[in-house]
Amino acid sequence: MLEKATIHDYRESADYLRARIGATPDIAVVLGSGLGALADTLEDAIVIPYRDIPHFPISTVSYQKGEMVIGRLGGKRVLAMNGRFHFYEGWEMWQAAYYVGVLKLLGVQRLIITNAAGGIKDTLRPGDIVRVSDTIKLTANSPMRGQNIPEFGERFFDMQRVHCPKMAALAHVCAKARGFSLTDGVYAFMSGPQYETPAEIRMLKLLGADVVGMSTVPEIIAAAQCGIAVLCLSAVTNMAAGITGAAITEEEVLETGARIRERFVGLLTDVITQIAC
Ligand code: HPA
């Protein structure tokens, strides 16, 4: 296994970014597939490709950009991650979560995580948005496996308080104001890149999962360790395997993602604008 990054690596990444962006962002947002449009709405934006940031992994998903965009939205200083690092791309779990440690060193206290997910719960439909209230990880290691970095937190840490109730309540209110409702749900991490089998989805359903995806959980674990408050929102892009019997394709995932983009970006804009920092 690749040697984990040390606190010095994280510091070099953070020092580089601090020199480029100045004041600490009020909030960071990770833009899942198809949600890069939010980054385009930031004012006075500075764009920093991941390859320019010391020690940063470089996203290989073709439709994700692999850059940070720092700018203003509704009076807030926002750091948008346009593209993330997935276990299925070959990154270690700690690499998928690396940016969270860097955000911590920058002083960021709030993180909105977005993703595309398959819907497991019967009442969900493609196009729905789920507020993730909890997660299940059956596959892949913890990003915190191996040498602990005490600057980020304890070796053993609690996972029950990472999902911020205030941001969750605000997200529900903002969705209502826009004429739709969010449901709360449990997100199950699967390592991918293949979509799940119907038997796996039946298992996840029995275990209490409502949506399933291949990202997000490494970052939530890292945020829990270092005390960053999370709001996680999943765009349901397809029903999970075996639920309708239809084949799941990347095209469908991207198409539905594109269909809900406007609604999702609108919701994110309202949440970011109205959040009390
Ligand atoms: N499974 C896993 N990841 C996904 C899915 C799915 O059905 N849809 C979008 N991301």
Side-chain angles (χ1 to χ4, degrees):
M1 197 180 82
L2 201 73
E3 247 344 83
K4 276 180 84 172
T6 65
I7 188 67
H8 306 290
D9 299 329
Y10 285 95
R11 284 197 179 124
E12 279 178 22
S13 303
D15 289 348
Y16 172 85
L17 286 168
R18 208 175 289 112
R20 295 279 314 264
I21 69 180
T24 301
D26 297 312
I27 190 156
V29 53
V30 185
L31 303 170
S33 316
L35 291 176
L38 183 92
D40 300 335
T41 70
L42 300 184
E43 295 158 21
D44 304 324
I46 304 172
V47 179
I48 306 178
Y50 293 156
R51 64 172 175 276
D52 289 356
I53 308 170
H55 309 292
F56 234 64
I58 298 165
S59 179
T60 65
V61 179
S62 57
Y63 45 83
Q64 297 200 351
K65 270 198 169 156
E67 62 192 23
M68 245 179 220
V69 183
I70 302 100
R72 289 194 159 270
L73 182 64
K76 301 281 169 20
R77 232 186 314 271
V78 179
L79 185 157
M81 298 273 304
N82 203 352
R84 55 145 70 86
F85 314 100
H86 301 86
F87 183 75
Y88 67 75
E89 293 175 88
W91 302 110
E92 300 292 343
M93 290 291 272
W94 66 262
Q95 290 177 298
Y98 182 82
Y99 72 84
V100 179
V102 175
L103 293 178
K104 178 69 184 177
L105 295 184
L106 285 176
V108 172
Q109 294 178 4
R110 289 174 197 78
L111 173 61
I112 301 179
I113 299 180
T114 65
N115 58 57
I120 298 178
K121 191 158 93 173
D122 296 328
T123 50
L124 290 174
R125 293 289 171 268
D128 287 350
I129 301 174
V130 170
R131 200 285 296 189
V132 173
S133 55
D134 205 350
T135 55
I136 295 174
K137 180 178 72 60
L138 298 173
T139 62
N141 298 322
S142 168
M144 272 51 216
R145 177 171 180 261
Q147 187 79 42
N148 187 43
I149 299 181
E151 284 82 352
F152 292 137
E154 304 293 330
R155 163 84 300 182
F156 304 105
F157 53 93
D158 190 77
M159 286 294 297
Q160 298 177 85
R161 281 164 188 71
V162 63
H163 299 281
C164 172
K166 280 192 189 147
M167 283 198 283
L170 178 60
H172 281 286
V173 168
C174 291
K176 275 256 153 57
R178 283 184 169 263
F180 63 97
S181 54
L182 301 177
T183 47
D184 281 356
V186 173
Y187 175 104
F189 170 84
M190 294 295 271
S191 51
Q194 74 286 0
Y195 295 114
E196 298 69 35
T197 65
E200 286 168 339
I201 294 300
R202 285 196 299 277
M203 170 190 74
L204 291 175
K205 189 172 190 175
L206 279 173
L207 296 180
D210 301 307
V211 289
V212 58
M214 305 174 195
S215 67
T216 294
V217 170
E219 295 118 289
I220 289 178
I221 294 172
Q225 189 194 30
C226 67
I228 292 179
V230 168
L231 169 67
C232 177
L233 298 170
S234 293
V236 178
T237 51
N238 57 282
M239 291 314 287
I243 300 213
T244 66
I248 302 168
T249 63
E250 190 184 11
E251 290 73 53
E252 178 192 11
V253 168
L254 294 178
E255 261 170 44
T256 317
R259 181 155 63 79
I260 25 181
R261 180 178 303 144
E262 207 178 304
R263 164 184 282 203
F264 207 140
V265 168
L267 175 65
L268 287 174
T269 303
D270 290 354
V271 170
I272 291 169
T273 305
Q274 291 176 39
I275 215 157
C277 288

